[in-house]
Amino acid sequence: MHYLYAKDFAQWRAQARDMLARGLTPLDVAWEASEQQSFFTATLPPAPSSTIEINVPKTFLALAKTIACHRSDKRWDLLYQLLFRLHCGEKNLMHIPTDPLMYALLRMHKAIRRDAHKMKAFVRFKKIEDESGEHYIAWHEPDHRVTPMVAPFFSRRFSSMRWAVITPDDSAYWDGETLDYGPGLTRDAAPSGDALDALWRDYYRATFNPARIKLKMMKSEMPVRYWKNLPETKIIASMLAEAPERVEAMLAHTQAMPDSAESFLPVLRDLAHLREASKGCEGCELHRQATQTVFGEGPENARLMLIGEQPGDEEDKTGHPFTGPAGQLLDEALTFAGIRREEVYITNAVKHFRFLYKDSFRQHQSPSRYHIQACKPWLIGEIAAIKPQLIVCLGNSAARSLLGSGFTMKNGRGILHPHLPPVLATYHPAAILRAPAQERASLRTFMFDDIQHAARNINADSGNNKHRFGIE
Ligand code: URA
Ligand code: SF4
């Protein structure tokens, strides 16, 4: 038996490759919790003279990097078992969640993901001011070593602030430009202890400009939709005059809203796993009010994919996309184009219904750019799983999600945008139903013709287009 020690994923990976090349099985090696315990009981078998090819699916790397954050001392052994079995030809192993090894790893993965979310939601920064200006410090005790997973999220969210997140394992520092990692500290060093203050000053003394940073912070941290109805100059002036507590409250509020579905996506991203995982998505605040996640529907080998905006009142109740009035008009358009609904994949840019109560009526509200962005990982996951030949975006929300915020119906409708797969945008059926009576017929004709145009650009013989894919 050979006893090894890895301090991080990169070290484990190098060792694992070496052990595999020497033909050592999981029974021959063990990774120990500390460096002192690592030793070789026997001479290692020789390494092969040429490098061996290790073929593992891409998902292995993603899973392994996450598992590396788990606190269990067993993590490296389990990963070596997985690597070994994949290498020995169990190509499908990662798609068998009931295999005991996969079961254990997926549970660990889930625990880490949950912990990363807790960190995003519960970290509270404390403001500290000194002669170098203001900075924010948070102390957090994660269950797993998730700081490197979450720190980039904080640097995006609080990009203009200088902050530090301190944990017992490690610490992350952001100076407005660069993310740095340092050693773990004890609780009494954070957030107001002298040691931490000194540490902080060392990092940030040079670059601070309070006026600039404060203003930028307001702009980047306060969701713009909260102040869109007020003249910008007025709100910024009053913001600058706000008490610091107000700023704190605002920060706490934005922190409580993780801004992406990304970390809710499953390791295995086939349609069934994506759909199942989407039920638990809390990637933006829309899940709180809506009844359920409305995921896309249709065959996994669909050649055409249709993307709407978000579920409506009816879809929120049924759980299926386009089951209300807009869905009926869409069905007519599909029939006109000679397509059966069962052969297309239909989904939405946003998977939860956004609405406002008006009396007892749930009034549809368009999702904001923020929701569309937060929900986009699901859409990308669906596109990657289906690999359609062509995508039709119904309405501006879906079109802007894929074609960029500059998209307009006026200039971009009805043409095949040269993406992989190509994207065509047209009017949303609900927009047609809402349009003034005199415009309705012509909008309807445009939409029907556009969908027919899309249908004609699908190659009926070649099945779907698994090799051509690249939308991000
Ligand atoms: N409108 C949409 O965009 N999607 C639906 O599922 C229903 C109405
Ligand atoms: Fe998640 Fe999308 Fe629902 Fe937001 S709208 S909670 S990102 S599924």
Side-chain angles (χ1 to χ4, degrees):
M1 181 69 113
H2 305 287
Y3 296 93
L4 302 163
Y5 169 77
K7 83 169 169 10
D8 57 22
F9 177 70
Q11 260 191 14
W12 172 82
R13 191 183 187 191
Q15 292 170 342
R17 283 170 164 273
D18 185 38
M19 295 302 120
L20 206 57
R22 293 170 194 268
L24 295 176
T25 75
L27 293 174
D28 303 320
V29 292
W31 271 269
E32 293 298 320
S34 72
E35 199 156 12
Q36 293 80 33
Q37 290 165 297
S38 77
F39 59 95
F40 295 95
T41 49
T43 325
L44 278 172
S49 50
S50 57
T51 50
I52 63 155
E53 184 109 348
I54 299 175
N55 273 326
V56 291
K58 268 208 199 98
T59 43
F60 171 79
L61 206 62
L63 176 69
K65 280 185 175 164
T66 306
I67 296 292
C69 304
H70 202 280
R71 211 173 279 286
S72 164
D73 294 336
K74 294 267 173 293
R75 68 196 185 287
W76 302 133
D77 287 344
L78 293 173
L79 284 177
Y80 191 66
Q81 285 181 39
L82 178 60
L83 180 67
F84 184 81
R85 287 176 60 185
L86 290 169
H87 182 61
C88 289
E90 287 187 66
K91 295 267 178 275
N92 210 28
L93 178 56
M94 293 192 65
H95 289 274
I96 309 173
T98 48
D99 178 278
L101 175 61
M102 280 311 294
Y103 180 78
L105 287 168
L106 291 173
R107 278 185 67 111
M108 289 166 82
H109 184 270
K110 200 166 178 178
I112 294 163
R113 226 173 48 186
R114 202 177 295 132
D115 199 38
H117 262 279
K118 259 179 23 207
M119 189 166 190
K120 286 182 189 174
F122 299 131
V123 156
R124 290 289 174 272
F125 287 97
K126 194 169 159 153
K127 186 157 98 176
I128 291 183
E129 287 200 86
D130 59 25
E131 73 278 6
S132 76
E134 64 190 37
H135 46 248
Y136 294 80
I137 296 183
W139 164 255
H140 187 67
E141 289 177 71
D143 294 337
H144 301 288
R145 296 182 183 93
V146 291
T147 312
M149 281 174 74
V150 180
F153 163 86
F154 286 132
S155 62
R156 285 193 302 275
R157 171 136 287 173
F158 305 114
S159 59
S160 326
M161 290 162 48
R162 300 174 311 152
W163 54 256
V165 176
I166 312 290
T167 85
D169 306 303
D170 50 14
S171 45
Y173 305 88
W174 174 256
D175 63 358
E177 275 173 17
T178 314
L179 194 55
D180 263 325
Y181 295 95
L185 293 168
T186 54
R187 183 180 195 116
D188 53 352
S192 54
D194 292 345
L196 196 68
D197 254 9
L199 196 78
W200 186 275
R201 276 196 296 276
D202 285 349
Y203 269 95
Y204 303 122
R205 177 167 282 137
T207 56
F208 190 55
N209 174 348
R212 179 177 63 84
I213 286 192
K214 216 168 186 182
L215 216 128
K216 262 175 76 188
M217 178 182 80
M218 297 297 174
K219 283 185 166 168
S220 68
E221 296 316 326
M222 180 101 176
V224 175
R225 65 200 150 91
Y226 289 147
W227 41 296
K228 65 171 185 260
N229 297 325
L230 296 159
E232 192 170 306
T233 45
K234 187 175 142 210
I235 190 113
I236 289 174
S238 67
M239 275 295 173
L240 288 173
E242 294 276 12
E245 301 83 72
R246 174 67 189 272
V247 178
E248 292 273 40
M250 189 177 85
L251 291 175
H253 178 69
T254 56
Q255 279 168 44
M257 295 193 299
D259 67 347
S260 173
E262 186 60 50
S263 56
F264 290 93
L265 264 74
V267 181
L268 306 176
R269 299 195 178 177
D270 54 285
L271 215 47
H273 281 99
L274 284 167
R275 175 174 290 112
E276 188 56 33
S278 76
K279 292 177 186 165
C281 184
E282 298 180 1
C284 74
E285 87 278 8
L286 293 185
H287 75 276
R288 297 208 190 106
Q289 213 188 4
T291 311
Q292 57 191 318
T293 308
V294 179
F295 205 69
E297 286 180 357
E300 188 138 17
N301 64 354
R303 285 169 292 154
L304 181 62
M305 179 163 173
L306 300 180
I307 308 172
E309 181 184 68
Q310 62 167 345
D313 181 70
E314 183 76 20
E315 291 78 13
D316 176 70
K317 292 175 190 151
T318 62
H320 304 290
F322 283 100
T323 41
Q328 278 173 24
L329 184 55
L330 181 62
D331 285 345
E332 286 176 43
L334 289 173
T335 307
F336 176 78
I339 310 169
R340 284 178 300 118
R341 181 162 171 157
E342 307 82 73
E343 57 184 309
V344 295
Y345 186 84
I346 303 185
T347 190
N348 285 300
V350 170
K351 311 295 193 231
H352 275 109
F353 179 33
R354 185 181 191 209
F355 61 92
L356 269 181
Y357 276 111
K358 234 187 167 185
D359 304 323
S360 57
F361 169 71
R362 304 198 299 175
Q363 189 184 52
H364 163 278
Q365 273 201 299
S366 286
S368 73
R369 241 177 27 196
Y370 164 86
H371 299 117
I372 293 168
Q373 198 56 34
C375 212
K376 195 166 168 180
W378 293 119
L379 189 60
I380 297 297
E382 288 174 294
I383 297 173
I386 306 278
K387 299 182 179 64
Q389 279 186 19
L390 201 148
I391 293 174
V392 172
C393 292
L394 302 164
N396 280 320
S397 293
R400 289 183 183 146
S401 179
L402 295 187
L403 299 172
S405 56
F407 172 86
T408 58
M409 276 296 158
K410 188 160 164 278
N411 299 322
R413 183 196 58 81
I415 52 175
L416 288 178
H417 295 265
H419 285 251
L420 285 177
V423 176
L424 180 145
T426 190
Y427 296 111
H428 193 292
I432 297 172
L433 295 173
R434 277 198 307 267
Q438 67 274 20
E439 285 174 31
R440 211 172 296 150
S442 65
L443 293 181
R444 182 186 151 108
T445 305
F446 279 132
M447 196 263 268
F448 278 40
D449 287 349
D450 290 342
I451 292 187
Q452 188 179 54
H453 179 44
R456 288 182 176 155
N457 275 280
I458 296 167
N459 183 344
D461 305 323
S462 68
N464 65 3
N465 225 358
K466 295 295 179 202
H467 58 289
R468 293 182 64 212
F469 167 70
I471 222 161
E472 268 302 341

